[in-house]
Every structure is written in C-alpha cells, then in structure tokens.
Amino acid sequence: MNRRELIKMIATLTGGAVIGGEFFLAGCNNPDKGVMLAFTADDTAFLDEVAETIFPKTQSAGAKEAKVGDFMTRYVTDCYTQTEQEAFHKGMDLINAACKKQHGHDFMKATPEQRTALLITIDKERVEYQKNKKKEDPAHYFQSFKQLTILGYFTSKEGRTTATRYEPVPGKYIGDYDYKKGDKIITNFD
C-alpha cells in the first residue's frame, strides 16, 4: 500500500475526499493556503489527545506516541486552503464546546471514557451530516480530524511498524499471502 492508496482508503472509510489530499501527494505546497494560522503547543497537545482517543495505545503504539497532533498541525498549515484552516481551528473550539455541554468541562480535562463518548457522538453527527449534505456544502468539521488521525497514524513509523505487518523492503509479490481474521494489514509505504 502506498500513500495514494492510503488516501483512497481513508476517503472510502470516512465517506468523503481527503481534504488537502491532492497537495499532500504533490509535496504539501498549496498555493491557496493564504496566511498561515499558527498552532500553539497547547493546540498540538489537544490534537494529540483527540487522535489518541481515536487510536489509543494498546499492544500497538497510540496516536500520541506517533505524534499525530504534530502531523495534523503541519498538514493543515501546508495542505489546507485558508478557509479549510479556519474551519479546522473552529472545529477545535467546537469539540471543546461539545465537551463542555456533554461533560461540563474542556476536552483536556475529560477522562478517556468521556472523550470516547464525546467523539462517538460527534462522529455520529458527522456521518449524518456527510450523508445529507449538498455537494457544495463544506465537510463536517470532524471529517478532517478523523482523516488526519488515520493518515498521520498510518504514515508514522510507530503506526506502520506496530499496527501493521510492516515489510520495509518489498521482496516479491505474494498474491495469496496467508491471512487469518484479526491479523494486521500489511504495509510498505514508499
């Protein structure tokens, strides 16, 4: 699986084109990125926690260990348009507002169980919105968080080497590689 295939897989999984995907594949140089909206260290920590809720540490590395929050800030800054960057920053505020409404405090103060419950609620809203939106409507704000978490995790060393059966040097094509239900997927990004 290469990055282009991963982008296609993420689009299929999330029900929409990967935002900024064309610039990611072309080397992250979006001419419409406009004035860069900066992220603070607290923003990166917040994004790490959102990603860790989606990909928690188990026997495999978690998203925080894979530095997905840092990946998200670089991707948004380099590949998103000005409008998409503003929507992403607003999405961070919306997640915090939803957490205050559901649990009475910010996302960073929430327990892992509260964070999971919140993101499940938001993801259900995202799925419903994506299903019913008009073609010209923007994607739901959580769409980019979910897409960037998957992309950042599976393009990181930690994600590739601990969550998949990583083959660093492809040998030969094996079309009928043994697979048992529950086995990790095989990756060898180039």
Side-chain angles (χ1 to χ4, degrees):
M1 179 183 303
N2 61 35
R3 289 181 183 191
R4 187 171 304 276
E5 292 168 331
L6 180 60
I7 293 281
K8 287 179 186 175
M9 183 184 80
I10 293 169
T12 301
L13 286 173
T14 60
V18 173
I19 301 164
E22 66 276 17
F23 299 108
F24 177 68
L25 294 173
C28 292
N29 190 16
N30 186 344
D32 298 324
K33 63 183 172 186
V35 178
M36 181 182 77
L37 297 178
F39 288 94
T40 65
D42 288 344
D43 292 338
T44 304
F46 173 86
L47 295 172
D48 267 338
E49 294 301 332
V50 169
E52 183 75 14
T53 303
I54 296 171
F55 281 119
K57 181 173 179 60
T58 57
Q59 295 163 336
S60 304
K64 197 169 11 177
E65 188 176 343
K67 299 181 178 142
V68 172
D70 188 48
F71 170 84
M72 292 166 105
T73 62
R74 284 185 279 133
Y75 187 99
V76 169
T77 301
D78 292 344
C79 298
Y80 277 17
T81 64
Q82 181 80 35
T83 302
E84 291 164 344
Q85 289 181 49
E86 290 168 1
F88 188 84
H89 280 268
K90 185 177 176 189
M92 293 169 56
D93 294 338
L94 291 172
I95 290 172
N96 259 331
C99 192
K100 283 180 186 171
K101 184 177 179 184
Q102 189 168 342
H103 300 297
H105 46 73
D106 289 345
F107 186 81
M108 293 299 278
K109 293 179 181 173
T111 65
E113 294 78 18
Q114 290 173 327
R115 291 175 179 176
T116 299
L118 175 69
L119 294 188
I120 287 172
T121 300
I122 293 173
D123 196 48
K124 287 178 182 173
E125 293 171 10
R126 179 196 65 83
V127 169
E128 195 62 31
Y129 176 87
Q130 290 296 116
K131 192 170 27 174
N132 297 318
K133 80 176 188 78
K134 295 176 187 164
K135 187 176 181 180
E136 63 272 10
D137 291 339
H140 187 275
Y141 72 92
F142 193 61
Q143 182 88 349
S144 57
F145 288 85
K146 192 166 182 174
Q147 290 179 340
L148 292 180
T149 297
I150 298 169
L151 185 61
Y153 185 74
F154 284 107
T155 55
S156 73
K157 176 184 175 186
E158 291 77 11
R160 286 183 298 170
T161 59
T162 66
T164 68
R165 291 188 288 175
Y166 178 62
E167 299 291 337
V169 179
K172 60 184 179 184
Y173 176 73
I174 305 172
D176 61 347
Y177 199 87
D178 288 337
Y179 174 81
K180 289 178 260 157
K181 186 174 182 176
D183 281 353
K184 296 177 180 179
I185 61 171
I186 299 173
T187 59
N188 62 348
F189 296 105
D190 45 6

